[in-house]
Amino acid sequence: DTEVTQTPKHLVMGMTNKKSLKCEQHMGHRAMYWYKQKAKKPPELMFVYSYEKLSINESVPSRFSPECPNSSLLNLHLHALQPEDSALYLCASSSQGKTYEQYFGPGTRLTVT
Amino acid sequence: SQQGEEDPQALSIQEGENATMNCSYKTSINNLQWYRQNSGRGLVHLILIRSNEREKHSGRLRVTLDTSKKSSSLLITASRAADTASYFCATASPYNNNDMRFGAGTRLTVKP
């Protein structure tokens, strides 16, 4: 199984809402990632978890809160977002061995109203 | 933050033609990867080339890497309409292979 799943596919939320994005993989990968992608732009790295520990935090605002409950799951908790946070949020995973290719999920299209 | 630039930003060719995309980066790297993204979807890994390699092939794909010029190129031969997508290069830090940064991307359109 080389699939990374993300839920929900689409999310519309108000600026006062609290919501969570979920990501799951069953490839035994020990690194998981969150990226943010605006239209016609490349993905921007937000967070990296390695062996369930946060290893990279790209100075992301605290209204985004990542969580890695176990090696297969990755969450992104959202609170008090701004309209400019509307984007495609991509989750990815990779092994920690000799190859570092990342496997991406289909993304969650987030709209903040 | 974005690692480098890609050119062209957009490329339109006829089916059967070859497509060449270029990528430049700014810092030292461990490896360079190319990904494809169909409109609004997740990225798909195409090929990885390590910093000590100069050329790599995979099917209709050919990637070159010139570390002295900090540049790479992706050649897609005998293009098909299904190759229509955005193509991104991504570089991994030599200090942390998990720290991967994407170039601006090339939007390829292959006309049938």
Side-chain angles (χ1 to χ4, degrees):
Chain A
D1 182 5
T2 58
E3 189 179 24
V4 175
T5 59
Q6 289 187 246
T7 56
K9 290 184 180 178
H10 301 275
L11 178 62
V12 179
M13 61 185 289
M15 289 188 283
T16 59
N17 290 158
K18 283 185 181 180
K19 296 286 185 182
S20 296
L21 308 185
K22 296 186 184 300
C23 174
E24 190 168 4
Q25 57 88 15
H26 294 288
M27 293 177 278
H29 290 167
R30 302 308 297 272
M32 296 186 77
Y33 311 76
W34 281 115
Y35 290 89
K36 173 183 177 181
Q37 187 179 26
K38 302 284 271 185
K40 296 186 180 181
K41 295 291 186 183
E44 294 180 12
L45 186 63
M46 299 175 72
F47 302 105
V48 180
Y49 275 84
S50 177
Y51 295 98
E52 294 96 70
K53 287 186 168 50
L54 185 64
S55 66
I56 296 177
N57 178 341
E58 281 296 298
S59 302
V60 179
S62 60
R63 56 186 185 269
F64 294 91
S65 176
E67 179 196 17
C68 189
N70 60 55
S71 59
S72 299
L73 294 174
L74 186 66
N75 298 321
L76 186 62
H77 303 297
L78 314 172
H79 173 55
L81 295 192
Q82 304 296 309
E84 59 264 29
D85 296 322
S86 298
L88 181 68
Y89 288 85
L90 294 162
C91 172
S93 70
S94 69
S95 70
Q96 295 285 58
K98 292 183 179 179
T99 63
Y100 294 91
E101 60 185 88
Q102 294 187 14
Y103 291 78
F104 282 80
T108 292
R109 176 74 59 189
L110 174 67
T111 302
V112 181
T113 60
Chain B
S1 61
Q2 186 179 312
Q3 164 68 297
E5 300 298 320
E6 287 176 66
D7 78 273
Q9 290 186 340
L11 179 62
S12 182
I13 59 175
Q14 294 292 136
E15 220 170 15
E17 294 180 340
N18 295 342
T20 300
M21 289 160 268
N22 302 298
C23 165
S24 62
Y25 56 92
K26 299 173 183 173
T27 62
S28 298
I29 62 170
N30 187 328
N31 63 68
L32 186 144
Q33 303 178 43
W34 285 89
Y35 287 81
R36 184 186 77 201
Q37 184 179 34
N38 288 74
S39 183
R41 300 206 168 186
L43 284 76
V44 175
H45 180 265
L46 295 176
I47 194 165
L48 179 151
I49 186 165
R50 301 186 191 283
S51 59
N52 61 354
E53 296 176 311
R54 292 297 167 257
E55 187 171 314
K56 203 161 182 181
H57 297 254
S58 177
R60 293 184 296 114
L61 306 180
R62 173 179 168 253
V63 169
T64 62
L65 179 64
D66 187 333
T67 53
S68 66
K69 295 181 179 178
K70 290 188 167 60
S71 68
S72 173
S73 68
L74 171 67
L75 168 67
I76 304 175
T77 60
S79 62
R80 305 165 182 169
D83 294 328
T84 294
S86 291
Y87 291 82
F88 296 95
C89 69
T91 53
S93 165
Y95 310 109
N96 186 344
N97 275 301
N98 294 334
D99 186 353
M100 193 165 76
R101 308 300 168 124
F102 286 84
T106 294
R107 174 69 190 169
L108 174 66
T109 302
V110 182
K111 301 174 187 175

